[in-house]
Amino acid sequence: MSSPLRERQVFHGSRARILYELIGWQFRNATDLRFMNYGLAPAPGREMVCLPSGDEPERYCAELYHAVAGQADLRGARVLDVGCGRGGGAAHVHRHLGPAETTGCDIARHSVAFCRKVHAGVAGLGFHHGSATALPFAAESFDAVLNVESAHCYPDRAAFFAEAFRVLRPGGHLLLADFTPPRLPPEAERARIERDLSLSGFASAGVTDITAGILRGLDLDHDRRMREIRARFPLGTRRFARLWAGTRGSWIYRDFAEGRRAYFMYRTQKPAVAAPDHARPPLRRPPGASGVFPLAAMVCDDAPGACEIAFDRPRPAR
């Protein structure tokens, strides 16, 4: 019989918001924990990011951010990291990929307070409280929007795509990575995301399946994650913590390993030329959403294609 945890999308909507507020409060002084993602290990033989010694324990989490953000040239850019969590990803991108300004945004107030405390004093790096579906920023404010392992939590992901389109400058990039939900074929979820991006006005998305790299990262990081769970989580919460952390034996890990879920990375662009009024598809304002909704746009002839990053695909389950 399936575990009750398996029967629902655990980290979603109000449940996710409450969970991350609790985690932010519980670990408000754990300044050595700055990431909250499954992590990624590049294929054997591929070069890894050079990190300072203090960042080495969370290497695979940093590698995931580096792979996602590295799909576009961010040198001198204004970058927004939506769902920034504890700020490690935004700080890594700001230090290693050369943006002029990096802004993190998260719905959990305790997470934003942590980011402001831990990453204070870094020129050009800042953090704001706000919802992904009603971003507290002016239209055309950023050259790139990052979203790493966060959009699966949103009650209306299409509304986030619309907001990302709004705050991006023409020609700006949305760089996204996330895993597919339970009980839905991975390719069907991929098609749904690509459709929602297109309806929001984005150009055709370049997509990379990075499930194999995610599994490598979880394997290589397993011992550290288990040590942290034993040290920081009360006994009655550790099963849930292992699920959240994706450790070996958790059903999320098994779903990745057996092909029931996939982890995709996307790169898409806000076209530089707006479409005429008659070519704009109708956009529905989601209930409770605020903010200015974008106009549909047509793809520029010279828009760059998807960044080609070589990750080996997972073998199909036997």
Side-chain angles (χ1 to χ4, degrees), residues 64 133 258 302:
L64 177 57
T133 58
E258 296 168 11
D302 59 350

Side-chain angles (χ1 to χ4, degrees), residues 101-177:
E101 181 179 320
T102 305
T103 300
C105 182
D106 202 274
I107 200 168
R109 293 183 183 275
H110 284 108
S111 295
V112 174
F114 176 89
C115 292
R116 289 173 174 170
K117 176 178 71 174
V118 171
H119 305 289
V122 179
L125 177 63
F127 297 89
H128 293 266
H129 174 259
S131 169
T133 58
L135 292 169
F137 306 104
E140 300 186 3
S141 299
F142 298 96
D143 301 297
V145 172
L146 299 178
N147 190 255
V148 177
E149 205 171 295
S150 181
H152 66 273
C153 295
Y154 305 160
D156 190 337
R157 188 174 53 201
F160 161 60
F161 292 160
E163 279 291 272
F165 190 97
R166 180 182 68 82
V167 302
L168 277 170
R169 292 172 177 159
H173 290 91
L174 173 60
L175 308 171
L176 171 73

Side-chain angles (χ1 to χ4, degrees), residues 170-231:
H173 290 91
L174 173 60
L175 308 171
L176 171 73
D178 212 347
F179 53 86
T180 59
R183 302 182 303 279
L184 186 69
E187 289 301 324
E189 176 69 357
R190 169 179 168 168
R192 186 167 68 174
I193 289 177
E194 292 183 66
R195 180 201 65 201
D196 288 347
L197 287 169
S198 178
L199 289 174
S200 296
F202 285 103
S204 178
V207 187
T208 307
D209 185 333
I210 59 171
T211 314
I214 298 295
L215 277 168
R216 274 194 303 272
L218 289 173
D219 283 334
L220 292 167
D221 209 20
H222 174 82
D223 291 344
R224 182 190 71 89
R225 289 173 183 252
M226 290 299 294
R227 286 195 304 270
E228 294 290 354
I229 289 169
R230 287 191 292 266

Side-chain angles (χ1 to χ4, degrees), residues 232-254:
R232 300 177 189 270
F233 285 84
L235 186 60
T237 66
R238 290 177 188 171
R239 177 169 174 254
F240 188 84
R242 290 194 296 270
L243 168 64
W244 178 63
T247 57
R248 284 197 298 266
S250 67
W251 57 261
I252 285 182
Y253 177 95
R254 294 198 306 270

Side-chain angles (χ1 to χ4, degrees), residues 9-148:
Q9 195 169 345
V10 179
F11 310 113
H12 186 261
S14 60
R15 291 193 301 274
R17 181 173 184 172
I18 293 168
L19 171 67
Y20 287 112
E21 284 287 12
L22 289 172
I23 289 172
W25 180 85
Q26 177 70 23
F27 300 125
R28 61 194 181 279
N29 296 319
T31 56
D32 56 325
L33 298 180
R34 303 186 182 188
F35 287 88
M36 291 192 294
N37 66 58
Y38 287 152
L40 177 144
R46 295 186 65 86
E47 184 177 356
M48 300 184 79
V49 180
C50 182
L51 297 175
S53 59
D55 293 348
E56 189 62 38
E58 296 184 289
R59 160 168 293 282
Y60 302 109
C61 296
E63 291 279 357
L64 177 57
Y65 253 92
H66 203 91
V68 177
Q71 295 179 104
D73 184 356
L74 300 183
R75 290 173 295 180
R78 295 190 70 203
V79 177
L80 173 64
D81 181 15
V82 180
C84 65
R86 296 171 71 79
H92 175 88
V93 168
H94 192 69
R95 288 197 307 267
H96 292 272
L97 295 177
E101 181 179 320
T102 305
T103 300
C105 182
D106 202 274
I107 200 168
R109 293 183 183 275
H110 284 108
S111 295
V112 174
F114 176 89
C115 292
R116 289 173 174 170
K117 176 178 71 174
V118 171
H119 305 289
V122 179
L125 177 63
F127 297 89
H128 293 266
H129 174 259
S131 169
T133 58
L135 292 169
F137 306 104
E140 300 186 3
S141 299
F142 298 96
D143 301 297
V145 172
L146 299 178
N147 190 255
V148 177

Side-chain angles (χ1 to χ4, degrees), residues 170-171 270-275 296-300:
K270 179 174 180 175
V273 179
M298 62 184 179
V299 180
C300 300

